[in-house]
Amino acid sequence: MTALDQLPVAVIGAGPVGLAAAAHLHERGLPFTVLEAGDTAGAAVQQWGHVPVFTPWRYTIDPAARRLLDDAGWVAPDLEALPTGADLVADYLQPLAELPQLKPHLRYGARVEAISRLGLDRLRTAGREQAPFLIRLTTGDEVLARAVIDASGTWGTPNVLGASGLPARGETDAAAYLEHALPDVLGADRDRFAGRHTLVVGAGHSAANTLLSLADLAAEVPGTEVAWAIRSASPARTYGGGDADALPARGALGSRLREHVDAGRIRLLTGFSVHTITPASGRVAVVVRHADGTDESITVDRIVAATGFRPDHTIAAELRLDLDPVMGATRALAPLIDPNEHSCGTVPPHGVDELAHPEAGYYAVGMKSYGRAPTFLMATGYEQVRSVVAALAGDWQAARDVQLDLPETGVCNSNPVDSTGTDSCCDPAPAAQPAGKGLATGISGGLLAAPLSLISLDSPSSGQTGGCCGS
């Protein structure tokens, strides 16, 4: 055994995937330390604790973690029930983090500032793979490790509102009017939305959850208005598979949202590309710039930026990463998850080989490994860390025996009908087509589209507010 082998594996993040990595490292008898920026396990999950997930417990518990918990007499929740974020933390992550096999190895308040190789910058090659990783914390402390499993996620780096991937003009100055994804509309944040006009920007499940909560609030509090803006010409991606979804809660999410839009309770704005955000007399004006150079605007009280997340690779700037220029994932993984190509969001099994970088021993896992792709599920991250840890233990046969069991979903076909008022927009895929797994994305999901047909932002909100796939 070399001196390098005696060092711990550093796991960054004590969320679901980070703690799963710790459980697998324990089972393999490998020393490890978990560095968590927050003051508790699942700190990021707690920030959306009020939100129920659409994945039942059986898909959100890692097998190695389950074995440790069961040995400690843990009483598992109903595996078919749907936990909230708070449930995940209280009933799973915190009990897992408190186990004597893991607790001594967790460090809280340990935010990673940078990762490098001891004594070597990115240019130096000689002796690189024999040099330990140097992990510098914001406190100034430094940790040496034989390998790094980066499960830090993407929650802290949301996408901007601007349609070009850059902040919209005035976005920073209008920060007081902006909300992060998944505000607690019916709970702690209620007063900021009750009786006000809110614009939700985004087409994912975070947007859908917030929109449904706002619709409930509007039914309770007069004067509460809800607008929903998406960049594509169709909300089909958000509506998803409906009754064909093997995760009923995910299908119901889209179906309920569609009902509100059809009834005019939520005003749908398609082809919405944010150009400028300007505070105006206690409210905020959002300007949309059309492809022909003309502008339209809508004035609201609050904006919820549910535009997704992106990975922050700056902490690994001195490591040799090979990132796909589009996804921000590894080049091997990117084509497997690219939502521009996978209309069903199909995620094939993948593990250590697809996650490897030229920097041997560094692996980004979990949500961060997917870059900007929106098709991640917790079960995917659990299989990732099982494979990576097996490789670190030298068990390459197990590392490459990657198997992934994901729930199937119905998908919109590639030629949906033009109206949100019909029942056929998101029918199940025909029997001749293989069922997809994960999210409905790609062309049928609206990530790729023909030139956008924009509706007037000043049009009435009653009746149909936009075609299912544009016209």
Side-chain angles (χ1 to χ4, degrees):
M1 178 179 290
T2 67
L4 185 62
D5 292 331
Q6 296 176 12
L7 291 173
V9 175
V11 178
I12 304 176
V17 177
L19 290 181
H24 283 277
L25 287 162
H26 169 76
E27 282 199 336
R28 290 281 183 173
L30 298 177
F32 64 93
T33 185
V34 180
L35 305 172
E36 166 57 44
D39 57 6
T40 185
V45 178
Q46 283 188 324
Q47 295 185 47
W48 50 269
H50 58 285
V51 178
V53 301
F54 50 69
T55 309
W57 274 109
R58 63 191 175 98
Y59 288 112
T60 58
I61 300 173
D62 171 74
R66 174 70 188 267
R67 289 189 288 270
L68 287 176
L69 287 165
D70 284 347
D71 288 345
W74 180 63
V75 178
D78 178 359
L79 295 183
E80 300 306 316
L82 300 173
T84 63
D87 293 334
L88 282 175
V89 174
D91 299 338
Y92 173 51
L93 298 180
Q94 289 183 343
L96 180 60
E98 287 296 315
L99 292 176
Q101 298 93 328
L102 302 190
K103 185 175 181 179
H105 307 283
L106 270 67
R107 291 182 58 176
Y108 297 112
R111 182 177 295 278
V112 174
E113 181 178 88
I115 311 169
S116 187
R117 292 278 192 175
L118 182 63
L120 303 173
D121 61 21
R122 195 167 70 185
L123 296 178
R124 299 286 296 277
T125 298
R128 189 170 192 87
E129 293 191 9
Q130 288 71 49
F133 286 93
L134 172 66
I135 303 170
R136 181 170 295 168
L137 307 181
T138 55
T139 59
D141 293 343
E142 293 182 341
V143 177
L144 297 181
R146 61 164 289 203
V148 177
I149 299 176
D150 185 351
S152 56
T154 59
W155 179 257
T157 49
N159 286 327
V160 296
L161 280 170
S164 300
L166 304 174
R169 294 178 183 271
E171 186 169 337
T172 301
D173 294 337
Y177 299 89
L178 303 182
E179 301 279 348
H180 195 10
L182 296 171
D184 190 0
V185 171
L186 298 174
D189 304 325
R190 180 187 179 97
D191 290 346
R192 296 206 296 272
F193 299 97
R196 298 187 178 185
H197 189 181
T198 299
L199 173 68
V200 178
V201 181
H205 289 110
S206 294
N209 272 295
T210 298
L211 287 162
L212 292 176
S213 294
L214 285 166
D216 290 342
L217 183 63
E220 299 173 8
V221 182
T224 303
E225 298 180 66
V226 188
W228 173 30
I230 58 176
R231 294 176 185 172
S232 68
S234 166
R237 172 177 170 237
T238 311
Y239 292 159
D243 292 341
D245 200 317
L247 292 177
R250 181 170 58 189
L253 191 72
S255 298
R256 288 177 56 208
L257 179 58
R258 182 174 173 177
E259 290 174 2
H260 283 300
V261 171
D262 288 347
R265 293 184 289 269
I266 294 174
R267 180 184 175 194
L268 174 63
L269 309 172
T270 60
F272 195 97
S273 299
V274 178
H275 178 64
T276 303
I277 304 174
T278 307
S281 302
R283 306 184 79 200
V284 60
V286 183
V287 174
V288 178
R289 175 151 294 175
H290 300 285
D292 62 5
T294 60
D295 294 343
E296 289 187 86
S297 67
I298 180 173
T299 299
V300 297
D301 297 299
R302 307 295 300 169
I303 303 172
V304 177
T307 49
F309 301 86
R310 61 182 64 185
D312 180 6
H313 294 295
T314 57
I315 63 172
E318 283 304 314
L319 300 182
R320 297 177 174 182
L321 306 186
D322 185 22
L323 297 171
D324 177 80
V326 177
M327 290 292 104
T330 61
R331 289 181 189 268
L333 180 58
L336 307 181
I337 60 175
D338 184 354
N340 290 301
E341 299 295 333
H342 298 283
S343 62
C344 299
T346 303
V347 179
H350 60 274
V352 65
D353 289 332
E354 291 80 12
L355 297 169
H357 286 281
E359 194 71 64
Y362 172 81
Y363 303 95
V365 298
M367 191 70 185
K368 187 169 186 176
S369 72
Y370 272 45
R372 298 197 193 187
T375 49
F376 177 77
L377 290 173
M378 264 186 260
T380 312
Y382 295 157
E383 183 63 4
Q384 287 179 343
V385 295
R386 186 208 61 78
S387 174
V388 166
V389 171
L392 292 175
D395 187 354
W396 285 95
Q397 181 177 354
R400 288 173 172 145
D401 181 20
V402 184
Q403 300 183 24
L404 192 58
D405 177 24
L406 296 180
E408 295 180 346
T409 178
V411 299
C412 299
N413 64 47
S414 58
N415 294 291
V417 297
D418 291 335
S419 172
T420 58
T422 73
D423 292 329
S424 56
C425 174
C426 292
D427 284 342
Q433 297 180 357
K437 295 182 179 180
L439 302 176
T441 57
I443 295 175
S444 65
L447 291 185
L448 290 181
L452 302 176
S453 299
L454 301 180
I455 67 168
S456 171
L457 294 178
D458 296 320
S459 61
S461 61
S462 61
Q464 290 187 353
T465 55
C468 177
C469 295
S471 58

